[in-house]
Amino acid sequence: MQRAAPISPQVMESLSTPEQVETYLGTLEFPLGVPTDETADRLYDHLDRLHGVRGFLDAYAGVSAWAARKGFLAAGVRDHDVLLFPEFMDAKTLLLTGNADTVYFAAFLDLTEGPVVVEMPPLALSFVNDMWFRWVTDPGMPGPDRGTGGAYLFVPPGYRGPLPEGGFFTYRVRTTRLILGGRAFLEGDDPKPAVERVKERLRIHRYVPGLYGTSVAEIVTGGTAPPLPWTAETWTAALRRADPPRFVEGSGLPVNTVPPADETYFDFANELVQDQPAEALDPEIAGPLAAVGIVKDRPFQPDARMRKILTEAAAVGNATARTLACRPRPAEGAHFYGTSSQWVNGLLASGYDFMTPPADVTDSGLEPRPSSGARKLNLRSWWWYLAVGISPTFATRLIGVGSQYVFSFADQDGRPLDGGRHYRLSLPPDVPAARFWSVTVYDNQTRSMIDTPQRFPRAGSQAYPGPAAVADADGTTTVHFGPGRPDGVPEGNWIRTTPARGWFVVLRLYSPLRPFFDKTWRPGEIEAVD
């Protein structure tokens, strides 16, 4: 039997730790292979910083959801109230890349006392996410009711009570609160029909077992407990429409839904972790948070050392997220028209789960794109630093469904957009949007609509809430940006900016058409005029 060769000195050296290790942390010392106290302290500080930064980046979606709920409550909007924007959202509401294109409505659903029913208005485009901004369903036009106005039943974790036989689209969820976000569209450049439809048809109420959706036969044979007393009056009440929710006027209302960028970010994260069941949080996100002291049913009381580390982690985490948002690396695949263009869309590269790009649409059907099996962490941070809400419809290549966006943070030469300068954007003829298109300007700091005397920092094909953009004789539409409207430029073709403030643009296509997806149509780059 042949004897194995001895392990070489080179192999031994490769698996050994020298007594002194030179790193970017300085010289680390391991006499007899054991770290000194000073080395151990330095490495634990470094590890806590790493966990803090990772927690900042990975938990951003949940902290954003919690910040939105805190912002609603601070503005007097309670759970099950509906924040409605009948005259559209303006810059007084701080919402990550919110817009002034549609009638927004939003509500937080409280499932802590049991299942909740949402009756949707027809012709709405909506999503429901949980408190970690995970997708639940899309009530409305892209959802199972197809815009006819269905009833949705949301069942909290741990619920063991009876459920209806039918009559609802039913979803079991992982958190005890949910976010409903919806949009309704203009009719003839008028928001009033959509507003009236939302007020007339949107209902939010608790599910009562044994009433609508449950037959008498099920009660007497299946053991479903009816409400007591079981009388004709009870049955009549079961068929009566629920009372409308409290609608809160959102247009012009100051509401801050943007997460903090300082160390209080971790206080927000702790509040959310304590509010929700431990099982609601994905282990990959719970791990970094737990490593810095944020654990369900435990007090979050960082000492002075840890508070200093978390302050640094928030600063580095925010700086990292901002860099991922403003300057995604070409290797991420977010540059929609290639690396020579400034237009980016991270969702069409990552998919709504940040793992699987959306399928291609061909004449023979959908052709799925392969998943690498790895979470695209940088694109996940890109999205949540810039936006709220998620749905498969946000990242789909289906023609005429939903909406698609591209973002630009720089001019054609890659320079940041300066609010004191004049720029222009040319959109070729036949913008590929079956419903409408828009261009909106956002403040770089808040990532919300830029706040100027213009009120609605947008231009587009709709003639509300401001004049529609006017196309040139050849069909090209030119949008101008700057602190003053250039001579001869129609009002609807100019978006006002603020000197000394940086900004970025989102081009939205509602019900996008094939030329967008196959890139036979593409917007021009943002050009500096002076």
Side-chain angles (χ1 to χ4, degrees):
M1 180 176 182
Q2 186 175 2
R3 179 174 296 179
I7 297 174
S8 70
Q10 292 81 6
V11 171
M12 292 298 295
E13 182 178 359
S14 72
L15 57 83
S16 299
T17 302
E19 290 200 351
Q20 287 191 332
V21 180
E22 300 298 332
T23 73
Y24 68 89
L25 297 176
T27 301
L28 306 177
E29 298 183 346
F30 297 86
L32 299 177
V34 178
T36 63
D37 289 345
E38 192 278 336
T39 289
D41 289 344
R42 193 184 309 176
L43 287 171
Y44 273 117
D45 283 352
H46 176 60
L47 189 60
D48 287 338
R49 289 189 185 96
L50 290 178
H51 289 317
V53 172
R54 194 73 262 165
F56 187 100
L57 294 172
D58 291 349
Y60 204 90
V63 174
S64 182
W66 190 250
R69 182 167 183 266
K70 287 173 72 76
F72 274 45
L73 294 174
V77 185
R78 306 181 300 262
D79 293 343
H80 295 192
D81 289 348
V82 177
L83 186 61
L84 178 65
F85 295 84
E87 297 179 0
F88 285 9
M89 182 182 292
D90 62 20
K92 300 306 178 186
T93 298
L94 297 184
L95 177 72
L96 298 177
T97 52
N99 63 71
D101 294 331
T102 59
V103 175
Y104 273 125
F105 58 92
F108 281 86
L109 312 180
D110 180 3
L111 280 63
T112 57
E113 297 181 14
V116 168
V117 175
V118 176
E119 300 176 32
M120 288 297 297
L123 303 178
L125 186 66
S126 308
F127 66 83
V128 171
N129 286 180
D130 72 13
M131 288 303 292
W132 286 96
F133 264 136
R134 291 174 298 220
W135 177 68
V136 175
T137 187
D138 295 318
M141 290 186 286
D145 70 280
R146 284 296 193 271
T148 60
Y152 290 75
L153 176 62
F154 299 103
V155 183
Y159 177 78
R160 297 291 181 266
L163 292 173
E165 299 168 75
F168 301 92
F169 300 107
T170 302
Y171 298 88
R172 290 189 176 271
V173 298
R174 295 175 61 183
T175 60
T176 59
R177 305 184 197 279
L178 300 173
I179 304 168
L180 166 67
R183 291 173 288 176
F185 298 97
L186 297 177
E187 296 182 13
D189 289 322
D190 184 359
K192 292 179 182 177
V195 172
E196 292 172 359
R197 200 160 48 240
V198 171
K199 288 185 173 181
E200 172 63 27
R201 296 289 298 274
L202 180 60
R203 296 292 185 270
I204 300 172
H205 55 89
R206 301 204 176 279
Y207 169 68
V208 180
L211 295 185
Y212 179 80
T214 302
S215 65
V216 174
E218 170 63 19
I219 293 171
V220 298
T221 63
T224 298
L228 296 176
W230 183 249
T231 64
E233 289 77 13
T234 303
W235 183 259
T236 302
L239 301 180
R240 187 181 304 131
R241 287 212 66 204
D243 292 332
R246 175 174 171 257
F247 289 98
V248 178
E249 171 75 44
S251 300
L253 179 68
V255 183
N256 176 26
T257 70
V258 179
D262 60 13
E263 70 277 6
T264 61
Y265 173 95
F266 293 100
D267 297 311
F268 278 49
N270 179 63
E271 291 171 10
L272 174 57
V273 167
Q274 303 308 327
D275 184 72
Q276 292 300 311
E279 299 77 13
L281 181 52
D282 292 331
E284 66 169 300
I285 300 175
L289 293 179
V292 298
I294 298 175
V295 181
K296 176 70 173 179
D297 295 330
R298 295 184 190 176
F300 177 51
Q301 297 174 337
D303 58 18
R305 168 191 163 274
M306 182 58 80
R307 182 61 74 177
K308 178 181 178 182
I309 286 175
L310 292 179
T311 299
E312 295 172 347
V316 174
N318 179 67
T320 303
R322 179 167 290 270
T323 299
L324 294 173
C326 299
R327 294 180 178 270
R329 290 183 294 195
E332 305 287 354
H335 290 77
F336 190 65
Y337 300 104
T339 57
S340 63
S341 172
Q342 301 298 328
W343 294 106
V344 296
N345 181 314
L347 284 186
L348 289 178
S350 70
Y352 84 100
D353 60 356
F354 307 103
M355 289 181 64
T356 309
D360 287 320
V361 180
T362 70
D363 292 339
S364 58
L366 295 178
E367 291 186 0
R369 292 188 171 193
S371 170
S372 66
R375 191 83 64 192
K376 294 177 171 58
L377 298 178
N378 290 349
L379 290 181
R380 181 171 71 178
S381 294
W382 176 88
W383 177 253
W384 292 119
Y385 198 71
L386 295 174
V388 294
I390 196 67
S391 163
T393 62
F394 293 9
T396 178
R397 298 176 185 274
L398 290 175
I399 308 303
V401 174
S403 55
Q404 286 298 329
Y405 314 152
V406 285
F407 298 65
S408 182
F409 293 85
D411 68 13
Q412 62 181 354
D413 297 318
R415 296 170 298 193
L417 300 170
D418 183 345
R421 300 188 64 185
H422 174 202
Y423 300 84
R424 67 185 172 212
L425 166 65
S426 293
L427 302 176
D430 302 319
V431 178
R435 189 179 288 273
F436 65 92
W437 63 266
S438 73
V439 173
T440 307
V441 167
Y442 297 94
D443 182 274
N444 279 350
Q445 296 302 323
T446 65
R447 290 97 71 203
S448 304
M449 284 188 284
I450 192 169
D451 191 2
T452 74
Q454 193 177 35
R455 188 181 182 189
F456 299 107
R458 46 81 64 191
S461 57
Q462 296 188 136
Y464 185 95
V470 178
D472 297 331
D474 65 354
T476 299
T477 303
T478 303
V479 179
H480 294 257
F481 312 89
R485 177 152 58 107
D487 292 341
V489 171
E491 181 181 351
N493 293 60
W494 167 63
I495 304 176
R496 184 168 182 167
T497 59
T498 302
R501 298 290 293 186
W503 53 277
F504 66 96
V505 162
V506 177
L507 168 62
R508 288 177 169 84
L509 307 176
Y510 289 84
S511 299
L513 302 175
R514 187 179 300 278
F516 170 75
F517 294 109
D518 65 20
K519 303 175 186 176
T520 55
W521 182 95
R522 61 180 286 182
E525 301 296 311
I526 298 175
E527 303 176 18
V529 178
D530 56 24

